[in-house]
Amino acid sequence: MSDPTSGQTPPGAADPAGPAGSRRATGPKHRADPKDTPGPAGPAAQAQIDPRLLVREQGFAGYVGEFKRRMHSGELGSLPVVVGLAVIWVIFQSLNSQFLSPQNLSNLSVDIVATGLISVGIVFVLLLGEIDLSAGAVSGACAAVLAVLHVNEGWSPWAAVAAAVAVATALGLVHGLFFAKIGVPSFVVTLAGMLAWTGLQLWVLGPNGTVNLPYDGLIAQLTSTYFNQVIAAYGLAALAVAGFLTVSMVGNARRRAAGIPFRTTGDVILRTAGLAIVAFGAAYVLNQYKGLPLALLIFLAVVVAADFVQRRTRYGRSVFAVGGNIEAARRAGVNVAAIRISVFMISGAMAAVGGIFAASRIASASQATGQSNVLMMAIAAAVIGGTSLFGGRGTAYSALLGMLVIQSIASGMALQGVSNSIQFMVTGAVLLAAVVIDSISRRSQKAAGRA
Amino acid sequence: MAAMPEGTAGTPVLALEGISKRFGAVQALSEVDLEVHAGEVVALVGDNGAGKSTLIKVIAGVGPADTGEIRWEGRPVTVTSPGAAQGLGIATVYQDLALCDNLDVVGNLFLGRELRHFGVLDEVAMEKRSRDLLHTLSIRIPSVRIPVASLSGGQRQTVAISRSLLGRPKIVLLDEPTAALGVEQTAQVLDLVERLRSQGLGVILISHNMVDVKAVADRVAVLRLGRNNGVFDARGTSQEEIISAITGASDNAVSRRRARSDSPKEATDE
Ligand SMILES: Nc1ncnc2c1ncn2[C@@H]1O[C@H](COP(=O)(O)OP(=O)(O)O)[C@@H](O)[C@H]1O
Ligand SMILES: [Mg+2]
């Protein structure tokens, strides 16, 4: 629309007495009355800042106030899952001291990757308020495509990976077109896709039903490579902390310069310290075993990138807008069909990447790849992690957090020798709890709104 | 209002002449004229089905007219798409606000025209401009960083109106902005309408509430069955006269009720 450097405020809106100085100015509650003060200068000069207006409380009181507000208005985000994860870890560690052992945690960190990558794509779809039931089948079909092209047809691993992801993106395009252009509900389109692409998987694999990947090949190495130099894990942790600190400081400096609320230095230090404890703690544990797993590194990079796209780009903002109110998005000039189609393409592509990691983990693509509970786990992870089923609320990090919860339960139960049956039931209960939290927070958000 | 007399004297910012529009068997608008000057609030009133929303959609480019002329600052223009209307400087706030409940105030204000900084959303610039805009309009909301779901109806309406102002329009169309609001919230919105006028914008305000209309409008344009039925000076005209023009006769249920307690008054066209 208009040049971002030119003022977009209406005529007469120039307000050089900007908020920098007056940001925290208080004054008697007074509504500017234009009848008393005609002329363009009137309202701007008259406007008093409401004590509540646009001021973010700072310091400890600010946290408490913000937390209360979030509780009240149902914006808990990832808080329940973090608490839940801590509880799960305490319980399983008290049952079996092997649970928090470096070996178990390291394996856990690799086991979450394949389904977690699928879940990242699911988060995008859930943000739209839609569902992709085909993700498991697409991941299996594309793992099959990869294995057949690489092993049977002799393609280079990179070419085979690229082909598998391209096929999945095309399948996502098909779902997106049927959904966005013809108006078939996403539930039905992707249910049909689930059946059709499972068939495709069986057809590609042929009569044998299994294609083994070379153990020392590039694809198997995706999940078998560990950077065992101590510096790798610590270096990544240091990079993450330094990156976070830099982004916070630069953002804060810009906010301060613009005269809008910024975090206090203490706040930034606190957050950075929190991240540092988690990052260096994880690095320490990983170094106790084999070092930093390549698969985990890739997964974290994908999650960070997805989060960046969702929260920092116009595309991501449009996804949230379509998930929040389609009509508002359309009137604001968002190309709703393009957003919907592209999201299903992302979901397809992420399903393929997840399928590739699943095949890598067991060094084969089979009829079982991506089948049974993979799809349900990917959706459950996103929801458990705090992404709403109702659209418009969520974050890419929920794929990581939700998978940690699910895999922790699986791993803890396996250590206890609990059968699969119980494991499914517990995971189901956790999912239900997550959906209940989601539903309640949605309801309290509605209640808080339009008061 | 200082801006008003000079505004009405000059060329109108927006002038409609002989606008007609038909939906199948319904002639929704026939030969409608309307003028809006800078710094002027024109109330558009009429009974249900009189064609008010249809006329707004003609101006907003959502449902172009079949025949008739639109002049913008004296020049004939064609407004055949919402984009064309926005390009001219016409902003529309529809009755259903169309805000994204999940986005915060800044996100809603800038939806579809986000400011970017090396391709990345420039939240700092957007937040600053949002705060400056809301400050200029004396709009009070607890924070520009809370989802609009947690704002009251009046606050949501003011956010929707502010949103329309980011494109620096010269004319703002408000379709029943106070219909769903309480007394206090209605007052907030009417205050905002007055501030728009004092900043030199032209406002077309649809309302069914005669008290609101008399409170903020400079002129009242009445539509009846898709035709002009008089333009009144809001200060010099009684509510009864306006109501008569809306209902089409001096002898109607509203005026008969009045007559029993009050002295009856004749309707006059202009
Ligand atoms: N899209 C449409 N299709 C058919 N008829 C319509 C359409 N929009 C409005 N109308 C008709 O045009 C007339 C004017 O409607 P409208 O402009 O909505 O009235 P108002 O807003 O004054 O209540 C009504 O008779 C209505 O039924
Ligand atoms: Mg209407």
Side-chain angles (χ1 to χ4, degrees):
Chain A
M1 178 144 267
S2 53
D3 173 8
T5 55
S6 77
Q8 286 192 333
T9 41
D15 179 24
S22 58
R23 184 168 59 89
R24 292 182 141 281
T26 51
K29 264 200 167 185
H30 177 81
R31 173 173 301 131
D33 184 351
K35 285 198 186 91
D36 303 335
T37 56
Q46 267 274 321
Q48 299 287 332
I49 297 185
D50 180 313
R52 295 179 312 161
L53 174 66
L54 318 175
V55 176
R56 197 180 283 161
E57 281 182 276
Q58 293 176 349
F60 185 68
Y63 289 120
V64 176
E66 178 74 1
F67 179 74
K68 279 190 185 151
R69 190 186 67 71
R70 280 173 179 264
M71 277 292 277
H72 184 70
S73 62
E75 296 161 49
L76 290 174
S78 297
L79 184 69
V81 63
V82 171
V83 172
L85 189 60
V87 170
I88 289 168
W89 283 19
V90 168
I91 291 175
F92 281 121
Q93 176 66 14
S94 66
L95 291 175
N96 187 328
S97 61
Q98 279 303 296
F99 181 74
L100 290 182
S101 69
Q103 179 179 357
N104 196 43
L105 289 179
S106 178
N107 286 338
L108 200 150
S109 78
V110 179
D111 287 336
I112 62 173
V113 172
T115 312
L117 287 165
I118 299 172
S119 188
V120 170
I122 296 288
V123 168
F124 275 92
V125 179
L126 291 182
L127 285 178
L128 281 188
E130 302 299 334
I131 191 78
D132 185 352
L133 297 178
S134 71
V138 169
S139 77
C142 291
V145 167
L146 167 92
V148 167
L149 288 179
H150 176 43
V151 176
N152 298 5
E153 305 293 324
W155 289 33
S156 81
W158 286 117
V161 166
V165 174
V167 167
T169 312
L171 299 183
L173 175 65
V174 171
H175 301 150
L177 285 173
F178 273 96
F179 167 55
K181 292 291 184 191
I182 302 181
V184 184
S186 61
F187 177 85
V188 180
V189 176
T190 57
L191 184 62
M194 176 165 99
L195 296 171
W197 314 137
T198 302
L200 177 70
Q201 177 181 7
L202 300 184
W203 180 72
V204 168
L205 286 170
N208 284 340
T210 303
V211 177
N212 291 320
L213 294 163
Y215 273 103
D216 50 358
L218 182 133
I219 292 165
Q221 283 173 4
L222 284 174
T223 50
S224 64
T225 302
Y226 290 78
F227 300 106
N228 58 4
Q229 306 89 329
V230 170
I231 186 69
Y234 286 126
L236 179 66
L239 202 68
V241 172
F244 178 82
L245 186 63
T246 311
V247 169
S248 306
M249 298 288 272
V250 169
N252 236 5
R254 289 194 65 217
R255 299 181 73 85
R256 195 189 296 245
I260 59 179
F262 50 88
R263 298 188 190 288
T264 59
T265 312
D267 187 350
V268 171
I269 290 172
L270 204 68
R271 284 162 188 269
T272 309
L275 176 66
I277 291 169
V278 172
F280 282 98
Y284 172 79
V285 171
L286 292 173
N287 277 338
Q288 297 294 105
Y289 186 57
K290 289 188 189 168
L292 174 67
L294 173 65
L296 178 64
L297 176 66
I298 293 172
F299 182 38
L300 292 178
V302 167
V303 169
V304 170
D307 179 64
F308 179 84
V309 168
Q310 285 164 7
R311 289 193 304 119
R312 297 274 171 246
T313 67
R314 175 174 283 182
Y315 175 78
R317 182 59 51 85
S318 304
V319 171
F320 274 90
V322 173
N325 185 340
I326 293 168
E327 193 50 38
R330 188 174 282 130
R331 286 193 202 155
V334 173
N335 186 339
V336 174
I339 295 290
R340 288 173 153 175
I341 292 171
S342 62
V343 162
F344 278 92
M345 291 169 74
I346 290 174
S347 177
M350 290 313 303
V353 176
I356 292 167
F357 275 83
S360 164
R361 190 84 168 121
I362 54 168
S364 75
S366 71
Q367 293 179 344
T369 311
Q371 295 302 307
S372 77
N373 58 352
V374 169
L375 168 73
M376 288 307 147
M377 290 304 169
I379 296 174
V383 175
I384 290 172
T387 292
S388 172
L389 280 170
F390 305 107
R393 283 186 294 130
T395 137
Y397 287 102
S398 57
L400 171 64
L401 290 168
M403 274 316 296
L404 279 175
V405 168
I406 290 176
Q407 200 61 46
S408 296
I409 294 172
S411 156
M413 298 247 168
L415 283 177
Q416 289 303 106
V418 179
S419 75
N420 260 353
S421 52
I422 305 289
Q423 198 175 310
F424 273 119
M425 288 191 242
V426 171
T427 308
V430 171
L431 174 62
L432 185 64
V435 177
V436 166
I437 292 173
D438 182 26
S439 305
I440 291 175
S441 67
R442 183 177 136 94
R443 214 169 50 193
S444 58
Q445 238 176 7
K446 281 204 155 170
R450 298 160 210 228
Chain B
M1 282 287 116
M4 194 201 114
E6 90 193 41
T8 37
T11 316
V13 180
L14 176 71
L16 307 181
E17 223 172 79
I19 298 291
S20 299
K21 179 154 181 91
R22 185 184 174 127
F23 295 108
V26 182
Q27 187 72 38
L29 296 173
S30 19
E31 300 288 317
V32 173
D33 302 337
L34 186 72
E35 287 188 353
V36 189
H37 296 81
E40 180 187 40
V41 178
V42 177
L44 186 60
V45 299
D47 238 335
N48 281 333
K52 306 180 296 291
S53 296
T54 306
L55 188 60
I56 291 291
K57 285 175 186 157
V58 166
I59 304 171
V62 177
D66 300 335
T67 57
E69 193 178 60
I70 300 181
R71 282 199 308 277
W72 182 259
E73 296 173 328
R75 287 174 294 115
V77 290
T78 53
V79 186
T80 48
S81 72
Q86 280 166 20
L88 287 174
I90 298 170
T92 315
V93 181
Y94 295 95
Q95 200 165 345
D96 50 333
L97 295 178
L99 296 172
C100 290
D101 278 349
N102 58 326
L103 298 183
D104 61 20
V105 175
V106 177
N108 270 289
L109 288 177
F110 282 91
L111 184 58
R113 53 187 159 201
E114 293 86 358
L115 304 182
R116 285 178 296 178
H117 183 73
F118 305 116
V120 178
L121 294 184
D122 190 347
E123 296 288 352
V124 174
M126 288 193 281
E127 184 168 336
K128 175 160 172 52
R129 202 155 296 164
S130 303
R131 292 164 56 92
D132 289 351
L133 174 66
L134 298 182
H135 181 194
T136 311
L137 298 169
S138 305
I139 293 172
R140 291 187 175 79
I141 42 179
S143 162
V144 291
R145 284 300 179 190
I146 56 172
V148 296
S150 45
L151 298 182
S152 72
Q155 289 169 331
R156 292 164 61 85
Q157 185 65 255
T158 53
V159 169
I161 296 174
S162 315
R163 177 178 154 67
S164 74
L165 300 179
L166 274 176
R168 308 194 76 180
K170 292 184 173 165
I171 296 278
V172 182
L173 313 178
L174 303 174
D175 195 350
E176 304 206 28
T178 59
L181 302 184
V183 178
E184 166 71 12
Q185 297 180 354
T186 298
Q188 286 173 4
V189 172
L190 296 182
D191 279 359
L192 179 55
V193 170
E194 291 186 325
R195 272 177 237 126
L196 300 185
R197 166 172 57 199
S198 67
Q199 292 181 1
L201 278 76
V203 178
I204 299 180
L205 171 74
I206 295 185
S207 178
H208 281 294
N209 186 326
M210 283 307 125
V211 180
D212 294 356
V213 167
K214 292 273 296 177
V216 292
D218 299 304
R219 290 188 300 135
V220 183
V222 179
L223 278 188
R224 176 165 161 70
L225 303 176
R227 296 178 180 277
N228 283 110
N229 201 20
V231 179
F232 301 88
D233 174 34
R235 302 274 178 297
T237 314
S238 70
Q239 271 190 44
E240 290 75 28
E241 285 175 285
I242 298 172
I243 291 171
S244 299
I246 291 172
T247 54
S250 56
D251 183 39
N252 59 57
V254 181
S255 64
R256 278 196 303 273
R257 271 187 66 80
R258 296 269 179 184
R260 275 179 246 133
S261 54
D262 222 45
S263 61
K265 286 181 178 164
E266 285 297 307
T268 48
D269 277 12
E270 301 207 46

XYZ file of all heavy atoms in Angstrom, chain B residues 83-132:
381
model
N -10.207 -2.254 -4.229
C -8.867 -1.679 -4.345
C -8.905 -0.296 -4.960
O -8.199 0.614 -4.527
N -9.764 -0.127 -5.981
C -9.875 1.182 -6.632
C -10.387 2.221 -5.644
O -9.892 3.353 -5.595
C -10.802 1.083 -7.834
N -11.374 1.826 -4.828
C -11.920 2.760 -3.844
C -10.855 3.150 -2.831
O -10.682 4.325 -2.502
C -13.120 2.122 -3.139
N -10.113 2.145 -2.343
C -9.052 2.445 -1.370
C -7.988 3.330 -1.995
O -7.443 4.216 -1.342
C -8.427 1.154 -0.854
C -9.273 0.489 0.221
C -8.836 -0.940 0.500
O -7.716 -1.321 0.180
N -9.730 -1.726 1.077
N -7.700 3.071 -3.265
C -6.700 3.870 -3.959
C -7.093 5.342 -4.018
O -6.245 6.221 -3.899
N -8.387 5.599 -4.199
C -8.850 6.986 -4.230
C -8.756 7.624 -2.853
O -8.515 8.828 -2.736
C -10.308 7.038 -4.695
C -10.599 6.765 -6.166
C -12.105 6.708 -6.385
C -9.986 7.847 -7.036
N -8.963 6.838 -1.814
C -8.991 7.384 -0.453
C -10.335 7.181 0.210
O -10.787 8.001 0.992
N -10.990 6.080 -0.159
C -12.276 5.743 0.451
C -12.058 4.545 1.358
O -11.606 3.501 0.908
C -13.326 5.390 -0.625
C -13.579 6.593 -1.535
C -14.628 4.930 0.040
C -14.411 6.281 -2.760
N -12.340 4.708 2.637
C -12.183 3.601 3.582
C -13.555 3.182 4.064
O -14.419 4.031 4.280
C -11.320 4.030 4.762
N -13.760 1.896 4.202
C -15.076 1.384 4.575
C -14.967 0.532 5.829
O -14.090 -0.320 5.922
C -15.653 0.517 3.442
O -15.447 1.201 2.211
C -17.126 0.271 3.654
N -15.858 0.779 6.778
C -15.958 -0.085 7.952
C -17.316 -0.758 7.869
O -18.346 -0.111 7.992
C -15.827 0.709 9.259
C -15.915 -0.228 10.454
C -14.520 1.473 9.283
N -17.309 -2.060 7.606
C -18.563 -2.766 7.405
C -19.209 -3.061 8.745
O -18.564 -3.036 9.794
C -18.320 -4.063 6.635
C -17.828 -3.810 5.237
C -16.470 -3.805 4.955
C -18.717 -3.530 4.216
C -16.008 -3.546 3.686
C -18.269 -3.267 2.944
C -16.916 -3.277 2.678
O -16.467 -3.015 1.425
N -20.481 -3.392 8.635
C -21.254 -3.632 9.847
C -20.666 -4.788 10.652
O -20.506 -4.708 11.863
C -22.695 -3.931 9.447
C -23.678 -3.742 10.559
C -25.099 -3.700 10.027
O -25.330 -3.540 8.836
N -26.039 -3.839 10.911
N -20.345 -5.873 9.955
C -19.617 -6.954 10.628
C -18.149 -6.578 10.540
O -17.587 -6.452 9.468
C -19.884 -8.307 9.971
C -19.693 -8.254 8.476
O -19.863 -7.160 7.911
O -19.350 -9.275 7.866
N -17.524 -6.402 11.687
C -16.257 -5.682 11.714
C -15.139 -6.348 10.953
O -14.239 -5.701 10.458
C -15.817 -5.510 13.167
C -16.778 -4.638 13.945
C -16.327 -4.534 15.368
C -16.851 -3.280 13.304
N -15.159 -7.677 10.891
C -14.098 -8.380 10.209
C -12.738 -8.084 10.828
O -11.832 -7.541 10.183
C -14.102 -8.060 8.718
N -12.619 -8.397 12.102
C -11.304 -8.374 12.747
C -10.900 -9.829 13.007
O -11.761 -10.696 13.145
C -11.376 -7.634 14.082
C -11.728 -6.154 14.013
C -11.945 -5.608 15.418
C -10.638 -5.373 13.304
N -9.608 -10.070 13.076
C -9.135 -11.410 13.431
C -8.975 -11.467 14.944
O -8.066 -10.834 15.496
C -7.806 -11.717 12.748
S -7.973 -11.948 10.991
N -9.852 -12.208 15.600
C -9.836 -12.262 17.059
C -8.510 -12.741 17.628
O -8.128 -12.377 18.727
C -10.935 -13.206 17.556
C -12.284 -12.510 17.601
O -12.306 -11.277 17.457
O -13.295 -13.207 17.786
N -7.829 -13.598 16.889
C -6.606 -14.200 17.420
C -5.404 -13.276 17.282
O -4.398 -13.479 17.956
C -6.326 -15.531 16.731
C -6.205 -15.378 15.221
O -6.875 -14.552 14.611
N -5.339 -16.162 14.629
N -5.491 -12.277 16.414
C -4.358 -11.364 16.255
C -4.492 -10.213 17.238
O -5.597 -9.847 17.638
C -4.307 -10.815 14.831
C -4.099 -11.835 13.712
C -3.993 -11.124 12.370
C -2.849 -12.667 13.961
N -3.350 -9.619 17.589
C -3.413 -8.488 18.502
C -3.830 -7.230 17.730
O -4.069 -7.275 16.522
C -2.103 -8.325 19.273
C -0.917 -8.053 18.368
O -1.123 -7.628 17.221
O 0.226 -8.271 18.803
N -3.927 -6.124 18.457
C -4.424 -4.896 17.835
C -3.507 -4.471 16.696
O -3.963 -4.121 15.604
C -4.542 -3.781 18.902
C -4.941 -2.470 18.256
C -5.552 -4.176 19.968
N -2.194 -4.538 16.937
C -1.245 -4.146 15.894
C -1.419 -5.039 14.665
O -1.474 -4.557 13.531
C 0.202 -4.253 16.426
C 1.191 -3.926 15.321
C 0.407 -3.323 17.607
N -1.537 -6.349 14.908
C -1.690 -7.282 13.801
C -2.930 -6.989 12.982
O -2.909 -7.073 11.749
N -4.014 -6.632 13.650
C -5.250 -6.305 12.936
C -5.140 -4.990 12.185
O -5.600 -4.887 11.055
C -6.424 -6.247 13.916
C -7.101 -7.586 14.065
O -7.776 -8.050 13.147
N -6.884 -8.226 15.198
N -4.541 -4.000 12.820
C -4.443 -2.695 12.160
C -3.663 -2.820 10.855
O -4.006 -2.215 9.855
C -3.757 -1.679 13.080
C -4.570 -1.188 14.273
C -3.744 -0.243 15.130
C -5.828 -0.476 13.794
N -2.611 -3.628 10.875
C -1.725 -3.694 9.718
C -1.961 -4.920 8.845
O -1.166 -5.185 7.955
C -0.257 -3.646 10.164
C 0.194 -2.266 10.527
C 0.099 -1.809 11.819
C 0.690 -1.406 9.556
C 0.485 -0.530 12.157
C 1.085 -0.132 9.870
C 0.989 0.309 11.179
N -3.025 -5.662 9.121
C -3.252 -6.873 8.334
C -3.361 -6.532 6.843
O -4.122 -5.654 6.449
C -4.529 -7.574 8.808
C -4.827 -8.907 8.120
C -3.693 -9.882 8.313
C -6.127 -9.496 8.640
N -2.595 -7.236 6.047
C -2.638 -7.018 4.603
C -1.744 -5.891 4.126
O -1.582 -5.682 2.925
N -1.181 -5.130 5.043
C -0.238 -4.067 4.641
C 0.847 -3.946 5.707
O 1.183 -2.849 6.173
C -0.967 -2.754 4.452
C -1.791 -2.381 5.664
C -2.647 -1.174 5.403
N -3.741 -1.174 6.359
C -4.874 -0.518 6.176
N -5.061 0.174 5.098
N -5.810 -0.560 7.088
N 1.358 -5.085 6.130
C 2.367 -5.131 7.172
C 3.609 -4.350 6.745
O 4.003 -4.389 5.585
C 2.756 -6.586 7.463
C 1.657 -7.430 8.090
C 0.719 -8.052 7.077
O 0.894 -7.791 5.867
O -0.199 -8.786 7.476
N 4.189 -3.669 7.708
C 5.458 -2.994 7.450
C 6.566 -4.019 7.594
O 6.522 -4.872 8.470
C 5.677 -1.867 8.457
C 4.581 -0.813 8.529
C 4.965 0.265 9.533
C 4.342 -0.208 7.166
N 7.559 -3.931 6.717
C 8.647 -4.900 6.779
C 9.992 -4.204 6.793
O 10.132 -3.062 6.368
C 8.545 -5.880 5.608
C 7.431 -6.882 5.825
C 7.270 -7.820 4.667
N 6.868 -7.108 3.469
C 6.691 -7.713 2.298
N 6.894 -9.003 2.190
N 6.334 -7.028 1.235
N 10.941 -4.945 7.278
C 12.275 -4.447 7.547
C 13.176 -5.579 7.056
O 13.150 -6.646 7.654
C 12.344 -4.273 9.083
C 13.591 -3.714 9.631
N 13.913 -2.402 9.495
C 14.577 -4.285 10.351
C 15.060 -2.190 10.122
N 15.479 -3.310 10.642
N 13.805 -5.424 5.939
C 14.568 -6.514 5.308
C 13.693 -7.757 5.111
O 14.109 -8.873 5.395
C 15.797 -6.905 6.131
C 16.716 -5.754 6.433
C 16.931 -5.335 7.739
C 17.343 -5.064 5.406
C 17.751 -4.262 8.018
C 18.166 -3.988 5.675
C 18.374 -3.584 6.975
N 12.465 -7.557 4.698
C 11.583 -8.676 4.417
C 10.938 -9.296 5.639
O 10.068 -10.140 5.511
N 11.365 -8.881 6.819
C 10.830 -9.439 8.052
C 9.840 -8.428 8.629
O 10.042 -7.216 8.491
C 11.973 -9.703 9.054
C 11.425 -10.235 10.360
C 12.978 -10.653 8.457
N 8.762 -8.921 9.251
C 7.783 -8.009 9.833
C 8.479 -7.035 10.776
O 9.250 -7.436 11.641
C 6.720 -8.790 10.614
C 5.798 -9.697 9.808
C 4.756 -10.311 10.730
C 5.139 -8.963 8.669
N 8.199 -5.767 10.598
C 8.805 -4.760 11.460
C 7.823 -4.425 12.577
O 7.071 -3.454 12.501
C 9.152 -3.519 10.645
C 10.008 -2.548 11.437
O 10.112 -2.732 12.666
O 10.566 -1.615 10.836
N 7.834 -5.295 13.612
C 6.871 -5.134 14.698
C 7.063 -3.809 15.416
O 6.103 -3.210 15.893
C 7.006 -6.289 15.700
C 6.662 -7.649 15.137
C 5.175 -7.835 14.897
O 4.395 -6.962 15.311
O 4.798 -8.840 14.281
N 8.313 -3.377 15.499
C 8.586 -2.140 16.233
C 7.916 -0.963 15.529
O 7.188 -0.175 16.143
C 10.105 -1.916 16.363
C 10.379 -0.572 16.996
C 10.729 -3.034 17.183
N 8.135 -0.861 14.222
C 7.534 0.254 13.480
C 6.018 0.177 13.503
O 5.334 1.192 13.666
C 8.046 0.243 12.041
N 5.480 -1.057 13.369
C 4.023 -1.187 13.358
C 3.432 -0.822 14.715
O 2.406 -0.161 14.803
C 3.617 -2.609 12.963
C 3.867 -2.900 11.499
S 3.054 -4.402 10.930
C 4.147 -5.660 11.538
N 4.122 -1.267 15.779
C 3.591 -0.963 17.110
C 3.642 0.533 17.369
O 2.702 1.117 17.902
C 4.385 -1.729 18.180
C 3.802 -1.519 19.574
C 4.377 -2.477 20.609
O 4.855 -3.557 20.223
O 4.353 -2.133 21.792
N 4.746 1.150 16.941
C 4.869 2.584 17.174
C 3.785 3.338 16.422
O 3.120 4.209 16.970
C 6.252 3.074 16.734
C 6.396 4.576 16.847
C 7.830 5.016 16.885
C 7.952 6.542 16.810
N 7.121 7.206 17.820
N 3.590 2.969 15.154
C 2.587 3.689 14.381
C 1.182 3.435 14.935
O 0.349 4.332 14.940
C 2.679 3.291 12.908
C 2.067 4.341 12.041
C 2.604 4.360 10.641
N 4.007 4.696 10.575
C 4.743 4.464 9.498
N 4.201 3.886 8.456
N 6.013 4.806 9.471
N 0.944 2.206 15.404
C -0.368 1.918 15.993
C -0.600 2.793 17.209
O -1.674 3.379 17.383
C -0.455 0.454 16.418
O -0.206 -0.393 15.345
N 0.406 2.870 18.064
C 0.254 3.663 19.280
C 0.061 5.126 18.949
O -0.775 5.804 19.551
C 1.471 3.471 20.177
C 1.568 2.059 20.753
C 2.955 1.785 21.297
N 3.341 2.762 22.291
C 3.143 2.608 23.592
N 2.588 1.508 24.045
N 3.507 3.534 24.431
N 0.823 5.620 17.974
C 0.662 7.021 17.591
C -0.741 7.273 17.059
O -1.383 8.268 17.403
C 1.700 7.397 16.518
C 3.100 7.465 17.104
O 3.217 7.392 18.347
O 4.065 7.585 16.338
